Amino acid sequence: MKNHTRVLTLAVVCAAAIACTQSNLNSLDIDVLNPGAPIQPTMYGIFFEDINFAADGGLYAELVKNRSFEFPYALQGWKAFGNVAIREDGPFERCPHYARLTDPGHAHKQTGLDNEGFFGIGVEAGKTYNFSVWARVPDGGEGAIRVELANTASMGEDQFFVQQTVNMSGSTWKKYQVELKPEITDPKAILRIFLENPRTTVDLEHISLVPGDALEGIYRKDLAQALADLHPGIFRFPGGCIVEGTDLETRYNWKNSVGPVENRPINENRWEYTFPHRFFPDYFQSYGLGFYEFFLLSEIIGSEPLPILSCGLACQFQNDNPEAHVPVKELQPYIQDALDLIEFANGGTDTKWGALRAQMGHPAPFNLKYLGIGNEQWDQLYPDHLEPFVEALRKAHPEIKIVGSSGPDSEGKQFDFLWPEMKRLGADLVDEHFYRPYDWFLSQGARYDNYDRQGPKVFAGEYACHATGKKWNHFYASLLEAAFMTGLERNADIVHMATYAPLFAHVEGWQWRPDLIWYDNLRSMRTVSWHVQQLYGQYKGENVLKLTMDGKAVTGAEGQNGLFASAVKDGDLVYVKVANTSEQDQELALNFNEESGLKAVKRIVLKSEELYEDNTLDNPDAIVPVEASFTGNGKSIKAEVPALSFTIFVLSR
Ligand code: AHR
């Protein structure tokens, strides 16, 4: 097997050593006649946070950066030429800035603006791009701008490759729109705007360019499709540390993310500066992808929305002074935000926030069922802050399930303190986070086997297998995630939700990796971890089936040949998932109850010759699951799982 001569971690070497000393026939006994715990529809889902340019420059289809001139430096993302002034008495109260384009002073000079987009503006030949702008002619009469898509590095005759004139009239602000249809593809274009008649001043605000094929005019099509194809049962949003803010002023305030997009104030994005070695000085949150867009997308892709709100604690990684947080007795506005969000999602159109939802285009409720309070919080501060939320929410909305946090660590002091606290406060689910190395994933197959069945349910809200030191997406990490997930599935009575993290990353704008889906301005790529999530989502099943080897759950334990396994029933179908983390092919006997009458249908195999590589934008299907034949029927069916592979066996009655 190519590449296996590379140095493996101690954990893999151990797994291989175990494999060498064990028999290669592994008898898996599966009780198909006594279905166990139901698997929740919410079991496998997604977690969206605006990190790695996931929103602006990513899922949010807007191609213009700083479209409303609201960044702290009003012309960030723009190059102004000629006579451009930024003014701040515009038509949108919470976004007051706009650009005034005036006579450059000479007939041969030009006034205008270039926008650089997010790492350039990606456009494709033959597609339509919708340009819109709020504008007025302050002195009245007729004005015009010329809008172009251009490439300043172009070696051709012209820099521009498509242009349109936008005519405007009168001193009242109005929205104007034109379509641009480029005949060439360019991943790195700019948007250029010229004042057409230098003697007529025009004012421009909220300058937007959106691909005509954006889903609902909001979501970048290929990225939204990559989410839909996961069949996610739960959709956690908007973070993550984003929720908390580096300080309370910059926490995610959902009320700023709803209503007309033109009037949503921007927020800083903490991922601009969190890692100075991956610094992005013009990373802000436009809130164009706000809470309405979150609820709408949840509905479109069939997920239960799970909003996370600030509990009044600013990011504790960055604030160890108590003054950084809201004192418990002053939490009421934060609690009201939570109550108002439920009204926004579920309230009648005769309520204040329900009416806004209707005005935005969705009179029917979004049917919100879950709400998380706090992200990675810790110490006594957290239960103290959570408690008044729980009291108020239980009183006003007993139907809403509350998600609490177990802090940033997968175990240890804070984790051990917070779990009992969450139980004491009556949280319905507890969010656990683990970005952990190979040996952790290899050792956690039985993690949930002995959890308290009487307490809150588990939400594995952020997890990914990380190599030690340099971190990147690669097959071996994804395989260990697949192995670990057999333990989630086997414990579906207590594990009700699981979401990999982070979700998205722009190849030129990432701060954190590995991530589930990568993209540039025109292309996207689904990682092997995406395929693992997709397989679990697609073959989720309805009930857990008991699966054992020598009477024990198959958790990669000593003597189990590096195998992790679980089984579920789905109507007349049975899915058996087996991750083989050893370096040897393994023979299996899938043993069923005598009367089961099952026959093999197919197997889906995910494996790679290149353990430390992943799909790429140039080769997006290098490592994908492959369907293979699988035959046999009756009480015992022979099967094989290749070394270092993840296989799903599909059987039918
Ligand atoms: O997923 C990236 C970050 O990891 C999240 O914002 C935070 O919750 C965790 O520390």
Side-chain angles (χ1 to χ4, degrees), residues 49 240-241 271 375-376 433 435 462 502 512:
E49 176 170 20
C241 297
W271 298 111
N375 175 45
E376 288 179 346
H433 293 181
Y435 300 101
E462 292 185 30
W512 180 298

Side-chain angles (χ1 to χ4, degrees), residues 415-416 418-430 432 446-459 491-496:
F415 185 90
D416 293 344
L418 287 169
W419 251 102
E421 284 297 291
M422 292 305 104
K423 188 171 178 186
R424 177 180 70 79
L425 294 176
D428 296 291
L429 292 112
V430 176
E432 298 187 351
R447 177 178 177 89
Y448 296 109
D449 293 8
N450 298 315
Y451 264 49
D452 176 3
R453 264 46 198 178
Q454 310 313 316
K457 307 299 180 203
V458 174
F459 170 34
N491 287 283
D493 62 321
I494 181 156
V495 181
H496 282 194

Side-chain angles (χ1 to χ4, degrees), residues 31-53:
D31 181 355
V32 288
L33 298 180
N34 299 292
I39 294 156
Q40 301 299 314
T42 54
M43 183 70 174
Y44 307 111
I46 52 176
F47 160 46
F48 179 95
E49 176 170 20
D50 189 1
I51 182 173
N52 305 320
F53 285 84

Side-chain angles (χ1 to χ4, degrees), residues 234-255:
I234 192 82
F235 186 171
R236 178 178 183 239
F237 176 96
C241 297
I242 284 280
V243 166
E244 303 157 32
T246 299
D247 36 45
L248 285 172
E249 294 71 56
T250 55
R251 75 186 188 280
Y252 196 111
N253 179 346
W254 77 265
K255 287 176 177 166

Side-chain angles (χ1 to χ4, degrees), residues 325-335 384-385 388:
H325 312 301
V326 186
V328 172
K329 56 180 185 323
E330 291 168 25
L331 270 174
Q332 190 46 40
Y334 289 72
I335 295 170
D384 288 351
H385 278 69

